Amino acid sequence: MVFSSLSFLYFFFPVCVVFYYLSKNRVWRNTVLLVASLGFYAWGEPKNIVLLLLASLVAYLCGLWMEHLGGKGRPGGRKAVFILGVVLLTGNLFVFKYLNFFCRNLSVFLPVSVPDLALPIGISFYTFQILSYLIDLYRGEIALQRNYFYLTLYVSFFPQLIAGPIVRYQTIEDEILHRQETLDDVAAGGRRFIVGLAKKVLLANNVGAVATIIFGGRPEVYGSAMYWVAALCYALQIYFDFSGYSDMAIGLGRMFGFHFLENFNYPYISTSITDFWRRWHISLSTWFRDYIYIPLGGNRVKKSRWVLNLLVVWALTGFWHGAQWNFVLWGLYYGALLLVEKLFLGKYLDRCPKPVRWVYTMFFVLIGWVIFDLTDFSQMTAALRTMFAFIPTDLVRVIAADTAITTGVFYLAAGLVCSFPVLPWLKKKLPQTGPVLALENAACLGLLVLCVIYVISMSYNPFIYFRF
Amino acid sequence: MKKIHTLLNAGFLFLLAAFLLGGLAVAVLRPKEINFYENRPANRLHRPTLGTFLDTTFQDSVEDGLSDQILMAQTFKKAYNDGSSQLLLDLISGFLESHPQQYIYVRGMYFFGSDHLVYGPWALEDADHAGRMAQKAEGLNRLMDAHPDLDFYAYYVEKDTDINFMTGVKAEGYEYLRDRLDVPKGHMARFQIDSFDEFRQYFFRTDHHWNCYGSYKGYQEVAKLLGVDEPLLEPQEELLLPYTFSGSKTASAGIKDVYWEDFPVYRFDYPEMEITAKSGPLADYGQLEECLAGQLEKADYGICYGGDLDAVVFDTGRKDREDILVIGDSYDNAILKLVASHFHKTHSIDLRYNDDFSFSQYVRENPVDKVLFIGNMDYYVMEEFLPED
């Protein structure tokens, strides 16, 4: 089930909220959330729910065992159990997400058959969440969760289950049992949810259609300029798609009294690649930083080792996004860019005016999105070649090839405006008075109606981050 | 201030809950039977079973059901479709006018000549049209071989798919078929389209069918093909239906009801004939007079000239004339009564609605002298139009 489906908006969401607030105490409310979360997952993948419950059980049992061995003063055994848990969980992820890929590549050289396993929805997200629980527990940064159902609630909590953000256990450790829901929080969560829904339904889907038209067309029809427009449209699509989902997740969490950390901070105002990755998918980049990069030694090692560490982390970051070579290339592309910035370009960049730094950043980010979007290497290289080949664009041919591109321009303009922090700026300028809040509420309700109109009328409604 | 904020937040949540729960309540408690906007039975919510839940068909049905049943669903859908279509048309209208000689793609269809919705040109290599047409010809040849006592005729209606209006290059489907179909010399003809100007003259702007000028020309050519040696019917008058007409192509492009045209018709003085469908006698084939009187909710090609009936027989009572079997697609609807005026009995069969049709059995039970195959390229390509012997 996706948040922008009618099943979620008209059935799951209101029914869940009503049952939640009709429940008397924390235990019952958590029970409602757990049942709802499992139901939410089962709605889309009834059979794969077993996998999720087993992964959660592995973390739970390993946690208990580690605690037991730690109490008996057996750190070696504790470490062995920790490694066992990590191997089991990453093994599960490997089998269901990467085995097809490896077998497909091996089959070029060896007589290996491809098992053709379907990717369970959200497996990358929930595996990383469970791993963060196990690692933090091993490091002694969090307390053991002795209740399997509460641990499963953390893993399966529906707002962040299938497309993030990757919520660490320590973020909601206290809130599982000791959270407070307030009317203001519920309303703020509702507004945040609607804003996220609008990002997804009104902006992401419509700018994405322009990118699909151009990348799916013939390069000689669209020319270099339109390929850059397509890259821009895809950049906006993936931003509004994913940040919209994160907004909805954060908003829903807040409606139930949970406070997740922000996952995006206007990445398209970044003035360097380093800055971009501080603002884009924050929960993933901090996960890799804390659980892979720093344990590998971070930057407190020899330069050659540090370079290797950085490239390994970014190759893994790319690979996390999908079992395709283009994702690995995309990760390494960013690894290389960050290396260049950290080694020498950074100090020159700092001296440049902000607009120049912004243009530099967006130039490389747009190229990055082309690598990310086009999984077929021949299509990707053709697109990149077209972008740099200075093929003239004949607007008459472009419009004649598909007139839908003309309406896409409206959404592109709206998307560009909304990718800058206009709303926070506006909020800061306006006093928090009753009329302003009333206006905000009315605007949100209007947006909701508009989103429902779009959802009912459009069948094309996928979330890009579902496949990760 | 805090109190006002609390009140406003409570009001916001109340309205949010009312909108969503109200929508759900209407879907569950007062489901609609028919989706009038899309002219079909409305999807409804079903009870789940373990099997339908596990294979997710239940989940899909809930989404479909809600999209038809929630409060104002059809109004929302219509508002979106009409609004987005109108916006698109407004945006491209200047472009269409300034580029009349260009195919301009609009949601699966093309505009050409500023205001005409057309299909893109086909080539015989596309989708194995050539292979399928050859198979069809073989099938028809077998049928003709098995019935040497009957006179067979074929009429091919060229339309926008048969020619690239920009280059003038034709698909040459007629020539390809003619080379493979074993009808006697002079027993095959076509409705020929060699330019956009001809197409514009003879076909609707928004529908895939020929208009009254095209169908009348088709009737004249078919009559000549069949060797009709008496004067043909002449139009008594030309009238406009009191309706705006958004044809099948507007539906394909999602611009139905926001892009339309006039519907001109000819009125003829048909001879007396009894018309019988499988269900029984018909007052008329088509509702032209009701359309002209504005008595119907809407008018289209099928309503006006007669729909795609599985079988219909026109009987003029003139036993001195021959009997004919017409096996065709919807293009023949507009000329059936005209053709029937020159025969004793005219049997019309649309094979799309006759799964168990047997040619031999039919002509045994309904003796005929002539058999006419009539249709456009689809008809000579699609397997479902091949009669089983």
Side-chain angles (χ1 to χ4, degrees), chain A residues 5-7 9-10 14 43 46 183-184 187 191 396 400-403 406 432 434 441 448 453 456-458, chain B residues 2 5-6 8-9 12 16 19-21 24 53 59 63 66-67 70 76-77 80 88 95 99 103-106:
Chain A
S5 65
L6 294 171
S7 312
L9 291 170
Y10 278 91
W43 189 267
L183 184 73
D184 288 348
R191 285 191 292 268
V396 171
D402 195 336
T403 50
T406 55
Q432 288 303 298
N441 286 343
L448 177 67
I453 291 174
I456 287 179
S457 306
M458 294 165 84
Chain B
K2 173 85 180 137
H5 276 218
T6 305
L8 285 169
N9 281 337
F12 166 72
L16 179 63
F19 180 69
L20 297 178
L21 286 169
L24 179 64
F53 187 82
Q59 290 88 317
E63 192 70 16
L66 286 171
S67 75
I70 59 170
F76 283 163
K77 226 178 251 189
Y80 174 84
L88 178 64
F95 186 79
H99 298 88
Y103 279 102
I104 296 165
Y105 184 84
V106 181

Side-chain angles (χ1 to χ4, degrees), chain B residues 153-157 186-192 210 214-230 232 324-327 331-340 342-343 346 370-375 380:
Chain B
Y153 299 84
Y155 189 68
Y156 182 107
V157 181
H187 281 214
M188 187 168 175
R190 66 173 143 178
F191 186 85
Q192 192 164 345
W210 46 17
S215 57
Y216 186 67
K217 182 170 180 272
Y219 154 63
Q220 290 172 313
E221 292 179 356
V222 167
K224 188 177 168 194
L225 176 74
L226 296 172
V228 172
D229 55 3
E230 60 185 19
L232 300 186
I324 184 170
L325 170 61
V326 180
I327 300 177
Y331 283 82
D332 69 18
N333 299 358
I335 64 168
L336 277 173
K337 277 167 65 181
L338 292 166
V339 171
H342 305 288
F343 288 87
T346 301
K370 291 180 173 174
V371 178
L372 170 68
F373 303 117
I374 174 171
Y380 289 105

Side-chain angles (χ1 to χ4, degrees), chain B residues 115-340:
Chain B
D115 58 359
H116 236 89
L117 277 168
V118 298
Y119 292 115
W122 288 358
L124 284 176
E125 305 82 59
D126 296 342
D128 192 26
H129 283 139
R132 292 157 70 198
M133 198 182 269
Q135 275 183 2
K136 181 79 187 270
E138 274 174 33
L140 292 178
N141 288 341
R142 278 196 301 274
L143 192 79
M144 291 188 281
D145 288 345
H147 299 275
D149 51 320
L150 300 178
D151 280 337
F152 287 92
Y153 299 84
Y155 189 68
Y156 182 107
V157 181
E158 287 186 350
K159 59 181 186 1
D160 40 4
T161 50
D162 291 75
I163 177 170
N164 183 325
F165 295 129
M166 279 176 80
T167 61
V169 173
K170 296 190 70 170
E172 300 193 336
Y174 172 75
E175 288 81 356
Y176 188 83
L177 182 70
R178 187 190 56 198
D179 292 345
R180 282 156 184 79
L181 202 59
D182 298 335
V183 287
K185 200 169 173 6
H187 281 214
M188 187 168 175
R190 66 173 143 178
F191 186 85
Q192 192 164 345
I193 294 294
D194 287 331
S195 69
F196 178 69
D197 284 342
E198 283 179 326
F199 179 78
R200 181 197 283 278
Q201 188 183 351
Y202 295 126
F203 285 80
F204 284 110
R205 280 198 293 121
T206 65
D207 196 74
H208 63 285
H209 293 106
W210 46 17
N211 57 25
C212 64
Y213 316 115
S215 57
Y216 186 67
K217 182 170 180 272
Y219 154 63
Q220 290 172 313
E221 292 179 356
V222 167
K224 188 177 168 194
L225 176 74
L226 296 172
V228 172
D229 55 3
E230 60 185 19
L232 300 186
L233 295 188
E234 296 280 346
Q236 286 186 304
E237 55 184 333
E238 182 183 331
L239 300 158
L240 277 184
L241 295 190
Y243 299 91
T244 52
F245 174 48
S246 289
S248 60
K249 288 176 176 172
T250 60
S252 299
I255 52 175
K256 198 167 175 62
D257 299 331
V258 294
Y259 194 72
W260 47 269
E261 64 180 315
D262 289 331
F263 196 130
V265 290
Y266 283 143
R267 185 180 255 157
F268 294 96
D269 186 14
Y270 292 106
E272 285 286 314
M273 59 179 89
E274 283 177 10
I275 306 173
T276 313
K278 268 189 182 169
S279 56
L282 300 177
D284 198 356
Y285 178 61
Q287 295 174 276
L288 178 63
E289 291 308 321
E290 289 88 339
C291 288
L292 284 167
Q295 291 169 351
L296 306 175
E297 251 182 59
K298 60 172 184 174
D300 61 27
Y301 179 88
I303 292 171
C304 179
Y305 290 120
D308 299 332
L309 296 182
D310 48 359
V312 58
V313 179
F314 304 82
D315 184 353
T316 57
R318 297 281 301 273
K319 293 186 176 166
D320 55 319
R321 294 178 174 179
E322 291 179 309
D323 294 321
I324 184 170
L325 170 61
V326 180
I327 300 177
D329 59 13
S330 57
Y331 283 82
D332 69 18
N333 299 358
I335 64 168
L336 277 173
K337 277 167 65 181
L338 292 166
V339 171

Side-chain angles (χ1 to χ4, degrees), chain B residues 355-371:
Chain B
D355 288 340
D356 52 354
F357 178 80
S358 159
F359 185 87
S360 300
Q361 188 186 343
Y362 194 87
V363 295
R364 199 166 48 243
E365 292 167 3
N366 305 278
V368 295
D369 306 289
K370 291 180 173 174
V371 178

